[in-house]
Amino acid sequence: MEKLIFPVDFLWGSSTASYQVEGAAHEGGRGECIWDTFSRKPGAVYAGENGNVACDQYHRYEEDIALMAELGLKSYRFSIAWPRIIPAGKGKVNPEGVAFYRRLCEELHRKGISACATLYHWDLPQTLEDAGGWPDRSILGAFEEYVKVCYKELGDLIDMWITINEPLCVAFLGHLHGVHAPGHRDLQKTLATVHHVNMAHGIAVKEYRKTGLKAPIGITWNPTTPRPAVNSDADKKAAEIARAMNTEIFMFPVLGKGYPKLLAQETNYTVPIKDGDLEIIAQPIDFIGINYYHESPAAADEDAPFKFSMKPSWQETTAMGWPITPGGFERQLEWIAEVSRGAFGKAEIPIYITENGCACDDTVTADGKIHDRQRIEYLYQHLAACANVIKKGVPLKGYYVWSLLDNFEWAFGYTKRFGIIYVDFKTMKRTPKDSAYFLRDTIAGYGEL
Ligand code: FCB
C-alpha cells in the first residue's frame, strides 16, 4: 500500500484525559468530581468500575513520558482535573494539584514533548453539580475563576490550550441520554448545557487573551456529519438536520455564525440566550480540534422525534461496534475547512485531530506482545485520509492518537481498550502494542503496511 507522507512540521501526539488515566482520586487534595459520584450509581458504569486508580498516571507519569519519547511523539494532550486545581469548584486553590501538572509539563519538556492541556474533559467538581451544574448559568463564574487559575499557575508551561472537550457529549450524553455523568435525562437541561458550554468556551478564550500568554488556544469538537443513506432529497435533509443538531449547534456560534437556523425550523430547540452572549462565544480561536471515530448514514424517519434516524453501515466494526469509515473522516475534514474558512477574518483556521483511534479486543499473546492488526489498519486508513485532505488544501496541522494508554472508557469501564500501549490493570505494567510501533514508524517517515 501507498506510503503515508506528512509535512515535516506535522505535530504528532497522543491524547488522554484526567479522569481516564490519572487515578489518585482521593490523593493530593483532589476534590470529588461528577464521575466519582456517577460511577457509584448502581448500573451506571460497567461492573461498577471507576477512575479511582485508572492507569495511575498521577504516580507513573515519568514512565509514560519516557514511552512517548521512545515512540517519537512530539506532543501530549492531557486534561487538567478541575477538582485537583480547585477542589470545591470555587475558592481555595490546591497547591498540590498545581504542582502535579507543573511536574508533568516539566518532564514532558525535558523529553522534548510539548504540553497540550484541555481545561475541561468532563470531571466537573461535584459541589458545582450540586449547585445546578452546567444547566445553571452560575457555572460560568466558576469556570472563569478556574481557567484564570490555570493560566496563572500553569501558563508558562502549556504549549497549546483546549477549552472544552466534546461539548456534544457534555450536553447530550450527560444531560439528555443520562449515560455519562451527571446522568440527567432532561431536554431543557440539555439545551441550557449546550449554551453554557459554548459560553464557557468563549469566556475561557476571552480571559486567556487578557493574560498576554502566546500559546495557541482552541476547542475540541466531535462533529457528526453523516452521509445521507439514500441519494434522495428526504435523506439529504435528514443528514442536514442531524448535522445541525449535533454539530452546528456547537460549531457555528463559536465561528461567529450564530445558532443554526435549521434548529429553529425543524425542532423546538431554543437555548437560554441573553443579549451579548453570541459575541462572547465567538472569540477568535487559533485552531480547531477534531475528534473523529466513525460515521453513520442518516435517513428521514417520520416516527423519530426529529424526523431522522441513523442507519446501519456495512463496514467492519471495532470493539465499540463502530463502523470503520475513513471516507467519512475525509468528507468531514473538507466540510470543516469549508465552514471555517474566513472566520474571524482569517483566511483559514488550522485544524488538529485531537483524537482518533479504535478499541480492539487486545490480548497479550504467548510472545508477550499485542498484535493489534485491526488498530494498525484503522490508523493507516485514517492517517491516509489525513494525508489526502492535506493534499486537497485542508489546513490540517497535527494528529493525536486516542489513546496513549488503555484507560477508563467512561460507562464501559476498563472493557474497551483504546491504547496504543497495553495496560495490565492488575500490575499497571505498560506494553506497547504493535500499533505503537506502527505509529513510531509513521512519525519517522515509514508509514507503510
Ligand atoms: C471520546 C472522548 C474520549 C474517549 C474517546 C473514546 O468521545 O473524548 O475521552 O473516551 O471518545
Side-chain angles (χ1 to χ4, degrees), residues 412-425:
F412 296 94
Y414 295 93
T415 54
K416 304 295 178 197
R417 293 180 174 273
F418 273 92
I420 54 168
I421 295 175
Y422 187 90
V423 177
D424 177 333
F425 290 104

Side-chain angles (χ1 to χ4, degrees), residues 16-17 20 77 121-122 165-166 169 173 180 220 222 291 293 320 322 355 357 402 407-410 418:
T16 63
Q20 297 180 276
R77 174 179 179 243
H121 199 131
W122 309 353
N165 179 69
E166 299 189 353
C169 293
L173 298 187
H180 275 191
T220 281
N222 55 325
N291 293 352
Y293 290 94
M320 293 298 278
W322 296 342
E355 289 180 25
W402 183 273
N407 60 48
F408 177 77
E409 180 46 36
W410 308 114
F418 273 92

Side-chain angles (χ1 to χ4, degrees), residues 10-16 68 73-78 113-118 159-162 220 287-293 329 351-357 379 383 386 396-404 420 439:
F10 196 70
L11 188 64
W12 292 99
S14 65
S15 255
T16 63
M68 293 176 213
L73 292 162
K74 306 279 189 295
S75 184
Y76 180 44
R77 174 179 179 243
F78 58 95
I113 299 169
S114 67
C116 170
T118 306
D159 304 289
M160 196 161 157
W161 293 94
I162 293 171
T220 281
F287 66 89
I288 290 171
I290 294 298
N291 293 352
Y292 180 89
Y293 290 94
F329 195 20
I351 301 171
Y352 289 87
I353 305 309
T354 42
E355 289 180 25
N356 174 244
L379 294 179
L383 286 166
C386 290
L396 179 62
K397 305 297 178 193
Y399 175 97
Y400 290 78
V401 70
W402 183 273
S403 175
L404 178 73
I420 54 168
L439 193 63

Side-chain angles (χ1 to χ4, degrees), residues 274-286:
K274 290 198 176 164
D275 271 1
D277 283 2
L278 286 176
E279 289 74 52
I280 293 175
I281 298 172
Q283 301 297 309
I285 49 173
D286 302 312

